[in-house]
Amino acid sequence: MANGYTRCPFTYGLFLGTTALFLYLGRRQKTKKTDLPTCDVVFVLGGPGAGKGTQCQLVQERLDGWVHLSAGDLLRAERNYGGKLCDLINSKIAAGELVPSEITCKCLENGMARAFEQSGVTKFLVDGFPRSHGNMTAWAGTLAKHNIKFVLSFDCPESVLEGRLLERGKSSGRSDDNIDTIRKRFQTHKAESLPIIQYFENNGTTVHTIESDKGVEQVYEKVVALF
Ligand code: C5P
Ligand code: MG
C-alpha cells in the first residue's frame, strides 16, 4: 500500500470476532429479559415490622418453587452497589419515604429475571410492593403480564410494630430503624400504602388479611393454608 500500512488478516479476524461476541452478549441479555415467562406473583403487604420478610422466608424455605423477593432488600442492594442511584435511594430510605416507582420496578424485574435465569423459578412472593399508586402504575407499565394470584396483607397494631422495629434496630444496622424514621414510615404506610389494599379489594383481586401480632409459627399456619 502507498502509505506503507499492511493489513494483517489476524488483526481483522480478532476485530470481527470481538465485535461478534459483544453483539451476541448484548442480544443474549435482551433475549433473556424478554424470555421471562408469565410468572405467578403474590404481593405481600403490611406495615413496617409486620413480619412480611419473616413469613416470606418461611414460605420460600418450606414450600416448593416459591422465591422471596423483597422490594426493600433489592433497593438496599442497589444502593450498596453504589451506582448513580445510590444517593437518591439512600436519602429516601433514611427519610422513610418511597423511592421513585420506576427504580423499584426495575429492581424487581431484574430480581425476577435473575432468579429465573439461575433456577427456572416462576413463582414469586413480592414483599413490600406495591406500596403506592405510583408503584401500581409502574408495575402495569412493564410487568403487567404476570399473574397476581392474591394479595397477602399482614395487620398488626402500631404499638407492636414500633416495639419490633426498635428491637430490630439494635442489631439491624438499618438507617431507618430509629424512632423518628419509624414514625415517618408509619405515616407513609397510612397515606400511600393502605389505600392500595382498598384498591385491590374494590377491583376484584383477592386480599387475604392475617393478624400478625402473634408468634411466627402461629402466623405461618395461617399463611401456609393459602398456598
Ligand atoms: O419493606 P422495607 O421495610 O424493607 O422497606 C424499606 C424502605 O424501602 C421503605 O421505607 C422505602 O423507603 C423503600 N421502599 C420503597 N418502595 C417499596 C418498598 C420499599 O420505596 N415498594
Ligand atoms: Mg422486610
Side-chain angles (χ1 to χ4, degrees), residues 15 101 107 142 164 187:
F15 171 74
S101 299
C107 287
T142 51
R164 284 181 184 172
Q187 279 172 22

Side-chain angles (χ1 to χ4, degrees), residues 125-175:
L125 302 153
V126 175
D127 153 8
F129 187 96
R131 255 172 148 120
S132 65
H133 278 293
N135 277 189
M136 298 276 281
T137 310
W139 177 277
T142 51
L143 292 154
K145 73 173 181 180
H146 301 298
N147 177 23
I148 311 302
K149 303 286 284 180
F150 57 88
V151 175
L152 175 52
S153 168
F154 290 114
D155 195 21
C156 190
E158 237 174 55
S159 56
V160 176
L161 299 179
E162 189 177 297
R164 284 181 184 172
L165 292 173
L166 288 174
E167 189 55 36
R168 186 175 78 182
K170 291 179 186 165
S171 59
S172 69
R174 277 177 55 163
S175 61

Side-chain angles (χ1 to χ4, degrees), residues 89-108:
I89 296 174
N90 209 18
S91 64
K92 291 293 181 188
I93 290 178
E97 293 169 3
L98 297 180
V99 172
S101 299
E102 289 68 25
I103 297 175
T104 312
C105 258
K106 198 76 209 155
C107 287
L108 284 172

Side-chain angles (χ1 to χ4, degrees), residues 27-127:
R27 189 165 309 136
R28 203 189 63 165
Q29 193 67 26
K30 258 193 205 131
T31 312
K32 282 199 165 167
K33 273 267 167 69
T34 49
D35 268 359
L36 179 67
T38 301
C39 296
D40 284 347
V41 170
V42 171
F43 286 143
V44 183
L45 299 175
K52 304 182 294 293
T54 304
Q55 293 298 326
C56 288
Q57 276 303 115
L58 287 181
V59 172
Q60 175 176 275
E61 279 163 31
R62 297 178 185 180
L63 299 186
D64 223 23
W66 286 95
V67 163
H68 172 209
L69 282 185
S70 155
D73 286 350
L74 290 167
L75 287 167
R76 281 183 286 273
E78 183 65 34
R79 175 200 60 189
N80 294 343
Y81 175 70
K84 60 184 189 322
L85 300 173
C86 175
D87 289 345
L88 174 62
I89 296 174
N90 209 18
S91 64
K92 291 293 181 188
I93 290 178
E97 293 169 3
L98 297 180
V99 172
S101 299
E102 289 68 25
I103 297 175
T104 312
C105 258
K106 198 76 209 155
C107 287
L108 284 172
E109 191 181 358
N110 290 341
M112 290 169 78
R114 209 164 35 236
F116 175 70
E117 277 171 37
Q118 281 167 3
S119 55
V121 68
T122 57
K123 294 195 285 184
F124 294 96
L125 302 153
V126 175
D127 153 8

